[in-house]
Amino acid sequence: MRVRDLAERTPDSRERSVDMWRALAICLVVLGHWFVVAVTYRDGRLGGYNALDVLGWLDLITWLFQVMPIFFLVGGYAGGASMASHRASGGDGVSWVLRRTDRLLRPTTALCLVLALASLVAVAAGVNRQLLGHAAWLASIPLWFLLAFLTLVVLTPVLYALHRRAGLVVPLVMLVIVAVADLLRLLHVPIVGQITYLFAWLAVYQLGFCWRDGLLRMSRGRAIAVAVGGLVALIGLTVVGPYPIGMVGQNTAPPTLALMALAATQVGVVLALQSAAGRWLRRIGPWSAVIAVNAVILTLFLWHMTAAAIAAAVLYPTGMMPQPPLPSAAWLLWRVPWIVACALVLAVLVAVFARIELRRSRLPAVERSLWRDGATVLGMAAVLAGLLLIALAGPGHQSPTGLPWAGVLAYLCGAAVLRVTRTNGGWGLGRGGSA
């Protein structure tokens, strides 16, 4: 079905701004990565660095480009809507997880398989290990975010149940946990501060549930006040307080209270613009564009750093694009053709791989059983462990192919278990199987 037809058939009850913010957030992440990840090629060796480490003035710009809180907010909204519908039709949490993760894992599995095959072919062709390691690292950068988001999706049945019981109290408690963990980290208490990797994003995701269920309904003036309050807190915590100003890396590894202030600012902006965005998106043109981006949004995100690696491998060794030093005006000017080149390569990759995301899987109803539940837990544990191992492997990974094969194999095995469970009800028991 054409995008325009889908746009015309969209029911008036749909909160279209959710889709708009999701598309905008991912597009800003892609552009931000292409800008700040500076790939280099010298003396036959591929390298790179983060421009944020050199250009201090970019720290303030990250307040605009750090939009992951928005993505988790709209992810919570969509997850809450889907879970409520699934529960109303008699479904349980495990079957929801199986169906919800299908679209996430199909494009991710394609990326892992292509990277594995390309690495083996490159080794056979004599490509040096250092070059392979950097290319594999670049391509796997998006898996950090996917790991965090997939974890929240898996936890959604429990999180939504908490939301139904306590509403806004849940994200507030999680915010307190983030604040306490931050304090302990500032006092040099080991390990404890790392729990904000989970609870910071949980807090924003839970706010998405609250938004969907009307608990964040407020006037435009109050929403603006929330945004201003969050901005004042952000300035106080960073410019005046102990937190660094940058919102990419500095306040996300692990997430801090300053990032939560940025999230509050963004939530206020989203709510303040909700009505205006809804009216604008009733026009066929803007809404069709939003539908088109969302249809391939995971493909765009997963392959955008692979596009950068390919562009670097083509443009730099051949001398087609110069490599001016950073910082310099020439470096900034050459970012424009660099981003255009990455976009062209990504367009080709999307044309090739988007069909995997676009394909609608006709999954049979899976009967509740001990086999189904056990296979789902086992498969998701392997998938998450595999993604973690891949994400943790840096550019200096010592595998002969540059890939952390333990992570790749764990992910692929877990994805295979989940696929069998989705399609067969759990290891051949069929729809009528029982434990």
Side-chain angles (χ1 to χ4, degrees), residues 110-364:
L111 175 66
C112 289
L113 286 172
V114 170
L115 288 180
L117 181 60
S119 296
L120 293 174
V121 171
V123 167
V127 177
N128 86 43
R129 189 171 66 185
Q130 187 273 343
L131 185 64
L132 277 176
H134 273 83
W137 168 71
L138 280 172
S140 65
I141 285 175
L143 296 181
W144 266 114
F145 161 75
L146 184 67
L147 172 64
F149 186 71
L150 190 59
T151 300
L152 296 189
V153 170
V154 171
L155 293 174
T156 293
V158 176
L159 298 175
Y160 192 68
L162 283 174
H163 162 74
R164 294 298 300 272
R165 287 177 175 273
L168 279 168
V169 172
V170 181
L172 289 175
V173 168
M174 292 176 178
L175 180 61
V176 170
I177 292 173
V178 172
V180 171
D182 264 13
L183 176 61
L184 293 175
R185 185 167 57 245
L186 291 173
L187 295 175
H188 306 292
V189 177
I191 301 175
V192 177
Q194 307 303 311
I195 65 173
T196 59
Y197 274 114
L198 178 63
F199 285 99
W201 298 127
L202 278 176
V204 184
Y205 193 73
Q206 293 282 155
L207 283 177
F209 295 159
C210 297
W211 180 22
R212 187 261 170 185
D213 286 351
L215 298 181
L216 296 183
R217 189 177 292 115
M218 62 185 70
S219 67
R220 184 167 176 268
R222 288 186 176 180
I224 292 173
V226 170
V228 171
L231 182 60
V232 170
L234 178 59
I235 293 171
L237 289 168
T238 56
V239 177
V240 179
Y243 293 92
I245 294 175
M247 288 293 135
V248 175
Q250 294 171 318
N251 278 292
T252 57
T256 66
L257 197 59
L259 184 65
M260 294 296 92
L262 177 66
T265 305
Q266 292 177 350
V267 170
V269 170
V270 167
L271 296 177
L273 295 177
Q274 183 175 356
S275 296
R279 291 192 298 270
W280 181 61
L281 291 171
R282 294 197 180 278
R283 299 166 58 183
I284 291 297
W287 180 233
S288 296
V290 169
I291 289 176
V293 174
N294 275 280
V296 295
I297 196 162
L298 193 58
T299 306
L300 284 169
F301 179 73
L302 286 173
W303 290 93
H304 78 278
M305 290 309 295
T306 302
I310 293 172
V314 171
L315 296 175
Y316 291 144
T318 59
M320 294 173 64
M321 185 172 288
Q323 301 181 70
L326 181 69
S328 69
W331 185 89
L332 287 173
L333 290 174
W334 276 102
R335 287 287 92 182
V336 176
W338 163 251
I339 289 174
V340 170
C342 290
L344 291 174
V345 176
L346 181 58
V348 174
L349 292 173
V350 170
V352 173
F353 294 106
R355 67 193 67 185
I356 298 171
E357 183 176 4
L358 290 169
R359 187 180 72 246
R360 291 184 177 275
S361 297
R362 298 183 180 276
L363 300 175

Side-chain angles (χ1 to χ4, degrees), residues 32 66 76 80 106 190 267 373 377 435:
Q66 177 50 273
R106 279 187 282 115
V267 170
D373 294 354
V377 171

